Amino acid sequence: MNSPYTSRANYLTFIPIVTLLIVFTTTTLFAQDLNRFQSEVDQIVAKFDTISFQTEKKLAVFTGSSSVRLWSTLSVDIPELNTMNTGFGGSTYKELAHYKFELITKYQPDIVVVYEGDNDVTGAESAAEITDIAKVFYEDLMKELPDAKIFVLAAKPSPLRWHLKSKYDELNTLMHAYTMQHEQLNYIDIWSPMIGPNQRPLPHIFISDSLHMNAQGYEIWTETIVPILAPYFD
């Protein structure tokens, strides 16, 4: 029969094992999450590895989550640049950082336009925590592309996620303040032009899911973004 001391020893041995299992499981799930769009990223890389661009135009990488991915008219809307659309899935800042080389830096672009934060807001992280994650991404990006101009798009409003407005507002405020600290970064407010007179998202610029935009939504993006990019076309 085991003594109380033997039982306690077994219990104390059991605790570290359980802790290690929890850490291992959490780490594994996190790694799997970061790689959930691997096949899509592979397709994007394969596509652009076979494309030759006009050397007289600057190269601009537009990347981030599905609002960029679904911008099918990007090259037509901004013909002054060689545009690469490497938006993928419903990605987050962590996932974009994970694929930073494959989707951005390997191409050594002159201009980078990033749209993230929309999906981050729906997660457990606070706006301040999302901003901290974004800061690490942008600071690495600036080091790796010291001559590139980097444009940070505000997280957009949408009817589907309007209940999270306060979190969006905080994130956009924090990101705007952060970009003001770096000459290489530029903030583009796409939130305001997507808001109607009733101070809610314009309903007619969204498709049926009330989250993603239709052609009218991308027209607003184009009209907002192009004048800010224009000084860097030549």
Side-chain angles (χ1 to χ4, degrees):
M1 179 174 169
N2 292 334
S3 71
Y5 299 102
T6 303
S7 299
R8 176 176 172 78
N10 290 337
Y11 174 71
L12 291 174
T13 303
F14 178 71
I15 291 176
I17 294 173
V18 172
T19 303
L20 287 172
L21 286 173
I22 291 172
V23 171
F24 176 77
T25 303
T26 303
T27 304
T28 302
L29 288 173
F30 182 70
Q32 288 173 340
D33 185 58
L34 287 180
N35 289 292
R36 62 183 175 142
F37 297 118
Q38 184 65 57
S39 61
E40 186 177 345
V41 171
D42 290 342
Q43 291 175 16
I44 293 169
V45 171
K47 171 186 174 182
F48 285 111
D49 279 351
T50 62
I51 294 178
S52 297
F53 292 104
Q54 300 177 44
T55 55
E56 68 274 15
K57 295 182 182 181
K58 286 188 175 180
L59 178 61
V61 169
F62 284 68
T63 193
S65 61
S66 54
S67 290
V68 170
R69 174 175 58 84
L70 296 172
W71 195 348
S72 60
T73 58
L74 177 60
S75 60
V76 176
D77 294 337
I78 312 180
E80 298 87 355
L81 298 169
N82 288 314
T83 55
M84 293 177 57
N85 186 332
T86 65
F88 65 108
S91 61
T92 63
Y93 265 116
K94 286 180 181 178
E95 289 164 326
L96 182 58
H98 182 62
Y99 290 112
K100 176 163 49 66
F101 173 75
E102 292 91 333
L103 299 180
I104 307 174
T105 59
K106 72 174 288 188
Y107 302 104
Q108 292 295 296
D110 304 292
I111 294 170
V112 182
V113 181
V114 178
Y115 181 75
E116 286 292 3
D118 203 335
N119 298 309
D120 302 68
V121 167
T122 65
E125 291 97 348
S126 66
E129 289 169 333
I130 297 168
T131 302
D132 287 341
I133 294 168
K135 285 179 180 179
V136 174
F137 165 74
Y138 286 115
E139 283 161 17
D140 287 345
L141 191 61
M142 286 187 286
K143 289 176 185 176
E144 294 174 30
L145 297 175
D147 298 322
K149 297 301 292 185
I150 302 169
F151 297 85
V152 181
L153 301 184
K156 75 179 193 304
S158 67
L160 181 67
R161 295 177 176 171
W162 192 243
H163 63 289
L164 296 171
K165 178 183 181 297
S166 60
K167 193 172 180 181
Y168 276 94
D169 285 342
E170 184 180 359
L171 175 63
N172 286 338
T173 298
L174 290 170
M175 288 305 302
H176 189 192
Y178 170 66
T179 60
M180 295 292 287
Q181 300 170 19
H182 298 275
E183 185 178 352
Q184 197 177 346
L185 298 179
N186 302 266
Y187 182 82
I188 301 181
D189 175 20
I190 55 168
W191 176 283
S192 299
M194 296 177 69
I195 295 293
N198 64 349
Q199 299 305 307
R200 296 182 70 87
L202 293 165
H204 66 277
I205 66 173
F206 294 92
I207 63 175
S208 59
D209 66 4
S210 296
L211 174 63
H212 297 102
M213 297 177 295
N214 57 28
Q216 291 172 290
Y218 286 108
E219 184 177 345
I220 290 176
W221 273 34
T222 302
E223 292 172 349
T224 304
I225 294 169
V226 168
I228 297 173
L229 298 186
Y232 307 97
F233 284 169
D234 298 329

